[in-house]
Amino acid sequence: MKFLEQPPHFLFFTGKGGVGKTSIACATAIELAAQGRRVLLVSTDPASNVGQVFGIEIGNRVTPIPAVPNLAALEIDPQAAAQAYRDRIVGPVRGLLPDDVVRGIEEQLSGACTTEIAAFDEFTALLVDSSLTADYEHIIFDTAPTGHTIRLLQLPGAWSGFLEEGKGDASCLGPLAGLEKQRSQYKAAVDALADPQRTRLVLVARAQQATLREVARTHEELAAIGLTRQYLVINGVLPAEEAAQDALAKAIFDREQVALAAIPPVLASLPCDILALKPFNLVGLDALRSLFTDVAADAAQDSAAPYLDAPSLATLVDGIAADGHGLVMLMGKGGVGKTTIAAAIAVELAHRGLPVHLTTSDPAAHLSETLDGSLENLTVSRIDPHAETERYREQVLKTKGAQLDAQGRALLEEDLRSPCTEEIAVFQAFSRIIREAGKKFVVMDTAPTGHTLLLLDATGAYHREIARQMGNKGMHFTTPMMQLQDPKQTKVLITTLAETTPVLEAANLQADLRRAGIAPWAWVINNSVAAARPHSPLLRRRACNELIEIEAVASRHAIRYAVVPMLKEEPIGVERLLELANQGQTTQGV
C-alpha cells in the first residue's frame, strides 16, 4: 500500500459516507500496530462504527483494544460535542435575549458546520499538544475536517464581536462564535495538517465517475489551502475474475473500469492504491486483516440464496399518482442515486398520462438531454447551482454587505462560500417552480437538507418575511416552507443504499426533517444487489449482507419503502428508467 509507506505521525482518512473510510482507517491501525508501532485510532465521524468494527464499546475515552497489542481507540461523539459547544455559546445569553432570538441562534448552531467545527474543537488538542499523544507513534483519524471548515478557521477576525453587533446572521459564521479564545491553538492545528512531514491525508473513493469527480473537488479544495500531500485509495473494486460469473458482475466490472480509465487528471497524479471488493462485512479482526490482501477470503464459498420480498418503486408511484398532482422531493446524501430515482418516478408518472415537471440541480445534465421532448406529459428543467449561487451572493452582498465595514464584508463573503449558501440559493430557484405543483406533479431532485430548511425558517430569510407581509394585509398565503410541511401537498422520499453508513446518514437526515416539521413519506433503497438476483458468489454474499440493512429500514425507519435493484445497464433514457421503476414487483429469490 503506497499510503502506508513511511507513514507520518498523523494520518487522516476522508471521503463520502459509505466509501469505506472507517474500515480502511481501522485496517491501517491494525497493520501499523502489528509492526510494533504504538497507534491511537480516533473517529470523529457522526456515523462512527469503530466500536462495532472491533466488537467492543469505545466511546469518548482512550480505550485499549484487547485483541490488538499496541492499539487504542477513541470515539469523539460529534453530536455531544456540538451540544456542549452550543450550550457554551447560548448559555450566557439565555434569559437576556428574547426567546425567539435565542431559538434563532440555536438553529443557526444546529447544522453540519457546527457539528464539524465542534468535533474539530475536540480533536485539535491531539494535533498540537504533544503531551497527550507522546505515548503513540501514529495517530489515525477516521474523517478529516473539510476544506470549508479549515478555511473558516484560518480566517482572522473577532467572530464574537461581529456576531454581537448583529451582522453575522448568515449560515456558517454562527458556529465560530466561541472560537476566538483558542484561535492560536487552531492555527497550530491547521499548520500541522498542512505539514507533509507530520500529516498524510488519504482520500477514499469508489470506482464511480460521480464519486471520483467529487473526490477531485475535495482534493483541489484542500490543496488550495495548503494540504497538498494527498494519497488516493479507490475501495471496493470488483475483481476481474468475478466478471465471468454472470452478466451483472460483468456490467459492474466494465463500468468501474471505464470510471478508472476516465479518472480526473488531478487525481491521476496522486499516489494511488486500489482495494478489491470483499464478499464479507468488514467487521471483526479477521475481516479487517484481509482488507489489504489480494485474496478475497472465502469468495468461492457460495451463500444460501436469500429471498427478498420488498415493494418496488412502481408501488410507491401508485400512491403518488393517486393524488393527481403534488410536489415530490428526493432527498439523500450524494452518491445514492437521487437524480436517477427522481427521473424514474417522473417518467413513470408521465407514462401513466399524468402531467409532470422534473427539475434537477444535478450538474450532469445527461438526464435533461435524454428526456427533453422524448416523452409526452413530461417537461424537464435544470437549475444551474453555480449561476443561482452567484446571483444569491450578489444579492446578499448588495443588501446586507452594503452596511458592513471591510472586515465584516470579508467575513460575509467567506460565509457565502459555504455549502449552505448553495442550498439556499438553489432552494430559492426551486421555489419558483414549486407553485406548479397545484396543477401537476413537480418532481424535485437534489433538495436542500433538513438543516438548511430549518435555517430558512428560523432566520426569517423567506418564510417569516412573506408571512409578515401577507399577514399584515389579511391575505391567505402559502410559502414554500409551509407547502413542504403539508403532507397533502408534498411527499419527501429519502434515497439511500443498503449499507450501514448510508442508512445511518439517511436516518439522521430524517430526524433533521422532522425537526423542520417535514415528515418523510417513504424511503427508496437504491442499487440493491440483493434485488438483482446475482449469480456471482461474491455478489451473492454481498446480497446476504444487504438484507440486514433493508430490514432495518423496513422495521425501524420507514413508514413505507421500496427497493430498486442494481441494473446491468446504466438507467439513462426513458426505456431504461421505466424498466427501473417497474423492477422487482414480486418476491425475488436471489
Side-chain angles (χ1 to χ4, degrees):
M1 295 294 121
K2 294 184 180 69
F3 74 91
L4 278 172
E5 294 173 0
Q6 297 181 316
H9 188 51
F10 300 115
L11 288 95
F12 279 87
F13 293 87
T14 189
K16 297 189 79 66
V19 296
K21 58 183 179 294
T22 296
S23 299
I24 294 172
C26 291
T28 298
I30 291 171
E31 176 72 17
L32 293 176
Q35 296 173 16
R37 318 272 186 95
R38 296 183 307 281
V39 181
L40 176 63
L41 174 63
V42 181
S43 175
T44 60
D45 189 343
S48 175
N49 60 342
V50 168
Q52 178 188 0
V53 166
F54 285 110
I56 64 170
E57 185 175 332
I58 296 174
N60 193 21
R61 66 194 187 286
V62 174
T63 303
I65 307 297
V68 185
N70 303 315
L71 177 60
L74 166 67
E75 284 183 324
I76 294 172
D77 183 347
Q79 301 300 339
Q83 185 56 52
Y85 192 78
R86 283 191 288 270
D87 291 343
R88 243 185 4 253
I89 295 173
V90 177
V93 300
R94 201 182 299 276
L96 299 178
L97 296 177
D99 289 346
D100 60 336
V101 174
V102 172
R103 280 195 298 272
I105 296 171
E106 287 177 326
E107 188 47 55
Q108 202 171 53
L109 297 172
S110 71
C113 291
T114 298
T115 303
E116 189 175 8
I117 289 169
F120 188 69
D121 188 35
E122 288 276 311
F123 74 68
T124 295
L126 297 172
L127 288 170
V128 299
D129 188 344
S130 58
S131 66
L132 295 176
T133 59
D135 292 339
Y136 302 100
E137 294 170 75
H138 300 288
I139 316 294
I140 297 173
F141 291 95
D142 168 27
T143 301
T146 66
H148 174 64
T149 297
I150 295 170
R151 195 167 62 241
L152 283 170
L153 293 170
Q154 285 179 316
L155 286 174
W159 304 107
S160 299
F162 182 73
L163 289 156
E164 286 166 5
E165 292 167 23
K167 301 172 183 175
D169 60 345
S171 60
C172 292
L173 291 183
L176 293 155
L179 299 185
E180 183 62 28
K181 292 178 182 177
Q182 295 168 265
R183 182 154 297 280
S184 61
Q185 180 167 307
Y186 292 139
K187 182 180 185 306
V190 172
D191 289 345
L193 284 170
D195 182 355
Q197 300 301 314
R198 288 187 283 171
T199 299
R200 179 169 297 169
L201 190 72
V202 182
L203 306 170
V204 183
R206 301 296 288 264
Q208 300 160 349
Q209 291 187 4
T211 305
L212 290 169
R213 285 195 298 268
E214 178 76 20
V215 170
R217 286 193 291 271
T218 300
H219 162 73
E220 291 179 316
E221 183 183 43
L222 293 170
I225 52 177
L227 279 68
T228 56
R229 189 59 168 153
Q230 301 178 25
Y231 285 67
L232 177 65
V233 174
I234 301 176
N235 188 33
V237 177
L238 191 70
E241 58 268 22
E242 292 293 324
Q245 300 286 345
D246 68 60
L248 177 63
K250 184 178 187 308
I252 294 170
F253 178 79
D254 290 346
R255 274 205 299 269
E256 291 182 342
Q257 293 307 308
V258 168
L260 292 173
I263 192 168
V266 294
L267 298 181
S269 62
L270 298 181
C272 178
D273 294 297
I274 294 180
L275 300 179
L277 182 69
K278 303 299 187 228
F280 44 80
N281 279 332
L282 288 163
V283 175
L285 293 178
D286 290 342
L288 289 167
R289 286 176 176 135
S290 301
L291 180 58
F292 296 152
T293 62
D294 293 331
V295 179
D298 298 326
Q301 179 185 335
D302 201 356
S303 304
Y307 285 87
L308 177 63
D309 185 6
S312 70
L313 190 59
T315 305
L316 292 186
V317 177
D318 290 342
I320 294 168
D323 292 338
H325 65 86
L327 176 63
V328 181
M329 295 179 72
L330 276 296
M331 289 190 170
K333 291 284 187 178
V336 297
K338 294 188 300 293
T339 301
T340 299
I341 299 300
I345 291 171
V347 165
E348 176 63 22
L349 288 169
H351 185 67
R352 298 183 185 195
L354 297 162
V356 183
H357 181 173
L358 169 64
T359 180
T360 178
S361 61
D362 184 1
H366 60 263
L367 284 175
S368 299
E369 295 164 4
T370 303
L371 293 170
D372 192 17
S374 60
L375 184 63
E376 192 177 352
N377 303 316
L378 177 64
T379 58
V380 180
S381 66
R382 191 179 76 85
I383 293 168
D384 183 342
H386 179 74
E388 295 297 338
T389 303
E390 284 306 307
R391 186 179 297 119
Y392 177 76
R393 284 177 181 144
E394 289 175 8
Q395 173 194 341
V396 173
L397 288 170
K398 188 181 297 182
T399 53
K400 186 184 299 179
Q403 311 301 319
L404 300 177
D405 57 22
Q407 181 196 31
R409 188 177 175 87
L411 294 174
L412 181 60
E413 286 177 345
E414 172 58 31
D415 184 63
L416 288 171
R417 287 194 286 272
S418 84
C420 296
T421 299
E422 180 176 307
E423 287 191 336
I424 291 170
V426 169
F427 178 75
Q428 289 194 345
F430 277 142
S431 297
R432 297 192 288 269
I433 297 170
I434 284 175
R435 289 190 285 272
E436 296 180 29
K439 298 180 180 178
K440 62 168 66 172
F441 282 105
V442 174
V443 181
M444 182 185 295
D445 166 43
T446 317
T449 65
H451 170 252
T452 301
L453 292 168
L454 278 162
L455 193 65
L456 285 165
D457 192 29
T459 61
Y462 186 83
H463 171 80
R464 291 186 187 278
E465 179 61 20
I466 293 296
R468 184 184 63 79
Q469 293 175 4
M470 303 303 285
N472 289 344
K473 297 175 183 176
M475 298 174 64
H476 175 74
F477 64 93
T478 302
T479 68
M481 187 67 180
M482 292 166 64
Q483 186 167 345
L484 300 184
Q485 292 169 331
D486 185 349
K488 294 180 180 178
Q489 298 186 66
T490 300
K491 288 182 171 62
V492 172
L493 278 64
I494 293 178
T495 308
T496 188
L497 303 174
E499 298 173 14
T500 305
T501 301
V503 167
L504 186 53
E505 290 179 338
N508 290 337
L509 170 60
Q510 178 164 266
D512 264 356
L513 291 170
R514 285 174 172 165
R515 284 198 306 123
I518 298 170
W521 185 73
W523 283 44
V524 178
I525 301 170
N526 191 30
N527 238 19
S528 168
V529 175
R533 294 178 282 184
H535 298 291
S536 153
L538 189 151
L539 293 183
R540 288 168 78 96
R541 294 278 302 278
R542 301 281 302 179
C544 289
N545 295 335
E546 282 191 355
L547 297 185
I548 299 169
E549 300 305 327
I550 293 171
E551 171 60 23
V553 171
S555 62
R556 296 206 303 271
H557 300 307
I559 297 172
R560 58 182 67 79
Y561 75 103
V563 178
V564 177
M566 180 179 288
L567 298 183
K568 291 190 287 291
E569 297 179 333
E570 292 278 18
I572 296 174
V574 170
E575 294 305 319
R576 290 183 188 170
L577 289 166
L578 283 172
E579 178 189 352
L580 183 73
N582 289 282
Q583 285 279 326
Q585 295 191 67
T586 58
T587 301
Q588 299 175 349
V590 179

